[in-house]
Amino acid sequence: MGGRSTGSFAVQTPPLHTTELLRRTAFNRVFAAVYTSAIFSLLYHHIRTLVHCKTIVSFSLSFSLLLSDVILAFMWATAQSFRMRPVHRKEYPENLENFIKPSDFPALDVFVCTADPYKEPPMDVVNTSLSVMAYDYPTEKLSVYVSDDGGSALTLFAFMEAAKFARHWLPFCRKKNVMERNPDAYFSTNYASCPESEKIKMMYESMKVRVEHAVDKGKVSEEYIATDQEREAFNKWAAGNFTRQDHPTVIQVLLENSKNRDISGQFMPNLIYVSREKSKTSPHHFKAGALNVLLRISATMTNAPLVLTLDCDMNSNDPQTPLRVLCYVTDPATGSDLAFLQFPQRFRGLNKTDIYASEFKRLFLINSLGFDGIKGPNYVGTGTFFSRRSFFGSPTNPLSPEIPQLHPNRVVHEPINSPSILSLAHHVAGCDYEHQTNWGSEMGFRYGSLVEDYNTGFRLHCEGWRSIFCNPDRPAFYGDAPVTLVDMLNQNKRWAIGLLEVAFSRCSPLIFGIKSMGVMGLGYAHYAFWPIWSIPTMVYAFLPQLALLSGLSIFPKVSEPWFLIYSFLFLGAYGQDLSDFILEGGTFRKWWNDQRMWMIRGSSCFIFGFLEYLLQSLGISAFGFNVTSKVVDDEQSKRYDQEIFDFGVPSPMFVPLTAAAILNLFSFFRGFLQMIGGGDKEGIFLQMLISGFIMVNCWPIYEAIVLRSDKGKMPAKVTVIATFLAWTLYAATSLIFQ
């Protein structure tokens, strides 16, 4: 930062932000060189063994191990892009007054997305929206757009109620300087009780009862419709031809910042409900399609230069978050090629040791710090402030939208409720509007993948845009993580399919990404090929164990030098991963659960995601977007709080996982009997070590099969199928290995 001159003295301007390179960077680089040498040594050993194979069985075993270790080496190598230059940033919003006045703050459009009122309760969406409406930001510059991709009258009703409650909630937050501006979270804390706060709480509870009553009934009762304007809005659903997948555009302006005031007399932010037009014959493009509709609608109504995207449950935890964003946006040194600022995803309600690794500390924090030292973090779908300009071409080659009213530099002068504005907004929200345009390919959020956030961030970085990772001490946003194992695995399966769609597209990170971004392309390739992690996971979960059951030794003996290579690669990778985790505020127990979940994903959702992608590529099967449920019953919640795995749903994804657990158990005890019976202890030691390590990780599965009787135990159907699968594999390999 520069300084100001006063007479003959230079006055240093206080900084808006600072950047610090992490101390472990030098160690990471040295360790990478050593570890790479060890990898090449192991691959040399595999190739030499493969060349000297004399039978088809030994060749198959050696080739399988070689393939697995090549994949593991690839995943490790691509992950090094996150370790070459990790940085920490710090913002100083208190210094903004030296650079910009509140009246000159750029306008901000907030996009809150929801898709199903039964899986994503409307009250959760309301709380998220209220938390950002209460930002410490000029209300005349703040607009909140709620995208209801489920097209539900229940969601619209919830926001009609929220608009009324906001008249009391926003001035209350300003007056009391409330930090937690999500009403549900605020009233769940030890808030300062007083007559005023109790009155607000009663109003909130009354609103919650009305909304939840409507959801339970599946319709909005006449007693809750107060005005003719509200009745007219709900008439669209009463017509009878309004369905989730086939309905016209609905745009309802609930609050207008030039007209509506709160009880203190201050103008309120804009609040607009949107449900885009849908037709059974037109593509929906899932969340990316909904976001592009919001981009166009907001361009016609407010066209703010800053855009915040939020999932329905990712509410604000710090009312000064937009000011942190301005610390970068208003700094000339940041440059004109800044596309977005990404805040980490944080989650409320995680149990003490995060048994399902829902925190995704490596994805949302550790790797983002590494990306930030290169060109910035990847877009993770929520908690992201975009420059609207970044959706319209590269920094040096801007694209003009098909109509001038969508240009990012256009200033809107008409009221958002004017007939001309609403007419244009309905037009650009049409399901056929994007035909023969660049939307989804070169403009807006990008199509072609179920993980539209990864794909969009990747393409923006390829175009030459940069991003910044903001990780303040007080989390900017808090959300809800899946608290059942099957929900977590279904979510990860969808990610796996979407990542493979990008990995094998014409813009593959492995080719196009590296060519466009250099070393950062390796990081994107690491994510794109996540699902192939299932190959080495399955090989190491089954092959050494089947060989052990057949009395075969497939690894070096303890006395051989190659054993040391295996030991170093295993302990080095796990040791570095643990240190990264601990240095960024994790605990050993959370790290243990995190690495265990990688093994679980590799033998469940990644396999099914891989297979589903292959079938879809062959035209055999098609997949759709599945919303992760935010609704959890009391028993599931209790088990989660007690850190007990929930296997209650008989999902096919549990079958290979359970089969691996059973096979490792039997192979370990078979190997143990061999060792005490005078067998080749040195030859089978590494196979025993692998089986034992997997067994320790599989303890929740053994517990769910044998020791539990609650509804979260392993379904008997899954156990029977998995046992039969394990026995079949053993019988087949016994014949082959003879």
Side-chain angles (χ1 to χ4, degrees), residues 235 256 261:
N235 283 340
E256 189 173 354
R261 297 176 184 265

Side-chain angles (χ1 to χ4, degrees), residues 445-456:
F445 295 86
R446 307 308 164 88
Y447 302 150
S449 171
L450 287 177
V451 282
E452 78 296 322
D453 47 0
Y454 168 86
N455 194 27
T456 298

Side-chain angles (χ1 to χ4, degrees), residues 88 101 219 239 268 278 304 318 453 551 618 621 659:
H88 277 155
K101 299 177 181 178
K219 66 177 182 177
M268 302 179 70
K278 281 190 175 182
D318 183 356
D453 47 0
L618 296 172
S621 175

Side-chain angles (χ1 to χ4, degrees), residues 488-551:
M488 168 61 75
L489 296 181
N490 281 328
Q491 181 188 64
N492 279 256
K493 186 183 79 168
R494 175 170 60 83
W495 290 356
I497 296 168
L499 290 169
L500 288 171
E501 288 175 321
V502 181
F504 295 106
S505 69
R506 64 180 180 85
C507 295
S508 172
L510 200 55
I511 301 173
F512 182 78
I514 294 175
K515 180 180 178 181
S516 302
M517 295 181 285
V519 69
M520 191 167 180
L522 289 173
Y524 271 107
H526 177 80
Y527 288 141
F529 289 95
W530 256 8
I532 68 171
W533 174 257
S534 60
I535 296 175
T537 301
M538 294 301 285
V539 168
Y540 276 102
F542 286 94
L543 190 59
Q545 295 75 9
L546 290 168
L548 186 59
L549 287 169
S550 299

Side-chain angles (χ1 to χ4, degrees), residues 402-420:
E402 58 285 351
I403 58 175
Q405 291 92 334
L406 301 182
H407 197 282
N409 294 333
R410 171 177 170 262
V411 178
V412 181
H413 295 290
E414 297 178 72
I416 62 174
N417 230 347
S418 66
S420 60

Side-chain angles (χ1 to χ4, degrees), residues 360-566:
F360 278 100
K361 183 178 282 289
R362 181 158 292 282
L363 170 63
F364 294 143
L365 178 59
I366 299 172
N367 289 354
S368 293
L369 295 173
F371 257 166
D372 201 20
I374 310 174
K375 291 186 67 175
N378 55 305
Y379 171 39
V380 298
T382 185
T384 317
F385 288 79
F386 282 95
S387 162
R388 186 180 290 269
R389 162 67 184 85
S390 66
F391 292 111
F392 297 89
S394 69
T396 57
N397 185 29
L399 298 176
S400 295
E402 58 285 351
I403 58 175
Q405 291 92 334
L406 301 182
H407 197 282
N409 294 333
R410 171 177 170 262
V411 178
V412 181
H413 295 290
E414 297 178 72
I416 62 174
N417 230 347
S418 66
S420 60
I421 290 292
L422 289 176
S423 175
L424 181 59
H426 279 79
H427 171 63
V428 299
C431 58
D432 295 327
Y433 177 82
E434 294 181 354
H435 290 178
Q436 298 182 336
T437 70
N438 291 324
W439 285 96
S441 58
E442 298 179 45
M443 290 194 307
F445 295 86
R446 307 308 164 88
Y447 302 150
S449 171
L450 287 177
V451 282
E452 78 296 322
D453 47 0
Y454 168 86
N455 194 27
T456 298
F458 168 62
R459 295 293 295 276
L460 290 175
H461 278 127
C462 286
E463 290 173 2
W465 292 100
R466 293 186 306 110
S467 58
I468 284 174
F469 186 59
C470 297
N471 183 31
D473 293 335
R474 181 180 177 87
F477 302 97
Y478 267 124
D480 296 325
V483 297
T484 64
L485 183 58
V486 73
D487 278 343
M488 168 61 75
L489 296 181
N490 281 328
Q491 181 188 64
N492 279 256
K493 186 183 79 168
R494 175 170 60 83
W495 290 356
I497 296 168
L499 290 169
L500 288 171
E501 288 175 321
V502 181
F504 295 106
S505 69
R506 64 180 180 85
C507 295
S508 172
L510 200 55
I511 301 173
F512 182 78
I514 294 175
K515 180 180 178 181
S516 302
M517 295 181 285
V519 69
M520 191 167 180
L522 289 173
Y524 271 107
H526 177 80
Y527 288 141
F529 289 95
W530 256 8
I532 68 171
W533 174 257
S534 60
I535 296 175
T537 301
M538 294 301 285
V539 168
Y540 276 102
F542 286 94
L543 190 59
Q545 295 75 9
L546 290 168
L548 186 59
L549 287 169
S550 299
L552 291 179
S553 173
I554 61 174
F555 291 117
K557 295 182 178 181
V558 176
S559 58
E560 295 177 354
W562 296 112
F563 177 83
L564 297 177
I565 294 292
Y566 271 100

